[in-house]
Amino acid sequence: MMPPAFRPVLLSAAVLVGTSACVTSSSTRIPPGAVVLRFAWPQTLSARVSHSVFNGDARGERLYWWSLEPGEGAAPRRLGVEPGASPEAGLAALAHPEMSVRFDAQGAFVGAEPPADSAGQAMLEAFPLEPEQREHLLRTLRASQEEAARVRWEQRVGHWRDVMLLSGETVRFATKMWLGEDPLQRQEVEAEERTTFEAGVACVPEEGDTRCVRLRVETTPLHALHEDDPCERVQARRTFELVTDPQTLLPYLTRAVQEDERAWCEADGTEGTERTRQGEVFVFTYGLRPLPPGTWTRREPGSGPARSHARP
């Protein structure tokens, strides 16, 4: 199954409580300079999704295709996902794949569909297991995949519906986070979570459309773990970034980064520091759809559906 380093980052309960206090209604007065994030996905859409994973110098990328069709009445809508050609999957093959999800008219997560294949499932099929044990592990894997799909939806859409924020303002919350690499020695410590908001951001780099906003959530401990011991001190920082259209909550980019710093000492008393950086990035390019072999797509700046061309 997926290594812990590549599990999606879930915004803490403190953020959920804080953002719920910013929920607006039709009668709420919106102060000057504030932006309210509204869920209003179109009836149909298509997009290419690039999922990049990095850990130090090691990297990998997988591609997926989104397709959304009109819903029927009040029934949940389905965002379908198809895997694309990913010749350099690398580390991304170890992460949970992008999955088809269902959501209601308000943008609340309803459920996910397990992928047809995944690295975790391939591992289960490769090992000789008793049927009962295989079934138990498969159920555990499915539950983990469902949770990953839910977390991704909440990060991209769910947590931000009807939230009102002021550009340049920093919202602070008390929270907790885990420090330490060894699962048996990890400790939960007091931390602070800071959410910042920036308006007038380009939805797509190098394009003139600046209707998007950038939300950034940074979590750091109030004190390092073993901060008084130069040979055991552990420090960390977690960041999550979302670039989205505030009028629809269509995401254009998410970036989750985990940075860790661990102090150590040699037998002769020499002190050293080890720093690691790992994370994942999703980029969503709308108006693209998979085409038969021998064709390619080009998305014009600010255009709708991409144009297709035959390869020479």
Side-chain angles (χ1 to χ4, degrees):
M1 287 187 270
M2 187 170 55
F6 303 128
R7 291 173 186 163
V9 179
L10 176 62
L11 300 178
S12 76
V15 164
L16 305 189
V17 173
T19 55
S20 66
C22 301
V23 171
T24 64
S25 66
S26 58
S27 61
T28 301
R29 180 178 177 274
I30 301 175
V35 173
V36 180
L37 309 179
R38 302 294 193 188
F39 175 77
W41 275 31
Q43 287 297 303
T44 63
L45 67 80
S46 62
R48 182 185 64 199
V49 181
S50 168
H51 179 202
S52 302
V53 177
F54 62 91
N55 186 354
D57 295 330
R59 301 185 181 281
E61 180 184 29
R62 293 193 69 180
L63 297 178
Y64 302 92
W65 298 98
W66 270 7
S67 63
L68 178 64
E69 301 299 332
E72 298 182 3
R77 301 181 64 191
R78 179 180 182 271
L79 177 64
V81 174
E82 294 182 15
S86 305
E88 299 181 0
L91 287 180
L94 300 177
H96 280 309
E98 187 74 353
M99 288 165 271
S100 299
V101 299
R102 299 181 303 281
F103 58 92
D104 66 17
Q106 288 73 45
F109 179 83
V110 175
E113 300 173 12
D117 57 359
S118 65
Q121 186 171 336
M123 290 176 62
L124 290 181
E125 295 173 352
F127 287 100
L129 301 170
E130 294 294 330
E132 295 81 2
Q133 185 181 16
R134 186 185 304 277
E135 181 62 26
H136 171 72
L137 292 176
L138 184 59
R139 287 197 303 269
T140 302
L141 174 63
R142 295 300 191 213
S144 176
Q145 292 171 336
E146 172 95 8
E147 177 65 5
R150 185 191 68 81
V151 168
R152 286 174 180 171
W153 179 265
E154 295 300 325
Q155 288 181 321
R156 299 166 182 172
V157 178
H159 288 322
W160 307 107
R161 293 172 296 149
D162 296 329
V163 168
M164 180 173 64
L165 293 170
L166 287 169
S167 183
E169 184 179 62
T170 300
V171 183
R172 300 172 183 270
F173 294 105
T175 184
K176 293 185 178 182
M177 65 185 298
W178 290 91
L179 290 183
E181 296 180 354
D182 189 338
L184 298 179
Q185 298 180 357
R186 286 163 58 87
Q187 293 186 28
E188 191 175 35
V189 299
E190 300 292 332
E192 182 182 64
E193 195 161 60
R194 297 177 295 277
T195 301
T196 57
F197 167 78
E198 178 185 358
V201 174
C203 299
V204 179
E206 301 179 357
E207 291 195 5
D209 184 359
T210 58
R211 71 180 184 278
C212 281
V213 299
R214 177 181 290 109
L215 297 152
R216 179 182 171 88
V217 181
E218 179 175 321
T219 307
T220 55
L222 297 182
H223 304 282
L225 182 63
H226 309 305
E227 63 177 346
D228 297 327
D229 188 340
C231 298
E232 297 288 341
R233 187 177 61 255
V234 178
Q235 182 62 280
R237 180 174 64 174
R238 312 284 186 266
T239 58
F240 175 77
E241 179 183 345
L242 167 67
V243 175
T244 187
D245 182 345
Q247 298 179 1
T248 63
L249 279 178
L250 276 179
Y252 282 81
L253 175 142
T254 67
R255 177 184 290 110
V257 179
Q258 173 179 322
E259 297 171 287
D260 295 281
E261 181 179 298
R262 183 179 65 87
W264 51 269
C265 294
E266 298 285 2
D268 61 2
T270 303
E271 298 180 7
T273 302
E274 178 186 36
R275 296 181 177 88
T276 60
R277 187 174 187 269
Q278 54 193 329
E280 61 181 0
V281 179
F282 285 91
V283 177
F284 309 89
T285 307
Y286 296 97
L288 298 182
R289 64 181 69 248
L291 294 172
T295 60
W296 56 283
T297 62
R298 183 178 68 194
R299 179 182 177 275
E300 303 294 348
S303 68
R307 300 178 181 178
S308 62
H309 307 263
R311 291 191 182 276

